[in-house]
Amino acid sequence: MLSTSTRAPEKRAAQKISKEKYIDTAIIACVVLETIIVTLALIPAQLWTRLLPQSSGAALNGPFPASIAPLITALLYLLPAIIGFLCRNWQKALLSATLPAWIGLGLFLIAATSKVGIFYLVSTDHVTENVSVLELFAALGSMGWLARQIFKLR
């Protein structure tokens, strides 16, 4: 009888660790998916029309068919909030939610500076736009984390 009661806490601890691994895997998958979508969204329309000349909607929707374009837009907004919701603390929520924007904007700025020049990064309108994207992702991640806190209280 004593051995059964001592195994129960160990079993609960193992289940908790397993659950946390699944949540961490889900966060990583969401971050990777969001990074891919953000990076694809930042590619200019002119490049998509050159890469996909057979597609009539390449300038508007990039590599995505027009039928799923609204879903891609919804994912751009929902994934940072989902990432924030899955995170246990707010620091991880903000970092994980904004990481796709940091990576996507970084790749875009590297490509743009190779074409336009190094001062593309510090021009006033581009700095404002880049910071706005980061603020949006941070706000969405924060809202997801706050939603987690609200549901945890109930």
Side-chain angles (χ1 to χ4, degrees):
M1 187 84 138
L2 183 61
S3 63
T4 309
S5 64
T6 58
R7 289 184 186 164
E10 292 172 0
K11 196 173 192 178
R12 281 193 297 265
Q15 288 174 342
K16 184 178 179 182
I17 291 171
S18 176
K19 182 181 174 184
E20 288 176 8
K21 284 184 181 180
Y22 286 129
I23 290 173
D24 288 343
T25 303
I27 291 169
I28 292 169
C30 288
V31 167
V32 168
L33 179 61
E34 182 75 6
T35 302
I36 291 168
I37 293 172
V38 167
T39 304
L40 291 174
L42 289 170
I43 295 175
Q46 301 89 348
L47 185 59
W48 283 124
T49 56
R50 277 189 262 142
L51 291 173
L52 304 169
Q54 72 282 5
S55 176
S56 61
L60 292 175
N61 302 321
F64 307 106
S67 59
I68 66 164
L71 174 66
I72 300 302
T73 303
L75 285 175
L76 276 169
Y77 282 90
L78 291 176
L79 281 173
I82 292 169
I83 291 167
F85 186 82
L86 292 174
C87 292
R88 298 188 83 182
N89 58 35
W90 67 269
Q91 295 95 339
K92 185 176 179 182
L94 286 180
L95 176 65
S96 300
T98 58
L99 189 60
W102 284 107
I103 294 170
L105 288 171
L107 292 172
F108 175 74
L109 289 173
I110 290 168
T113 54
S114 67
K115 295 274 187 193
V116 181
I118 194 165
F119 295 111
Y120 180 84
L121 173 64
V122 294
S123 69
T124 307
D125 54 339
H126 297 130
V127 170
T128 306
E129 292 166 359
N130 295 339
V131 170
S132 295
V133 170
L134 291 169
E135 288 173 344
L136 172 67
F137 279 53
L140 292 169
S142 299
M143 289 170 50
W145 182 81
L146 286 171
R148 176 188 179 99
Q149 302 311 306
I150 291 169
F151 288 121
K152 190 175 10 177
L153 292 175
R154 292 181 183 192

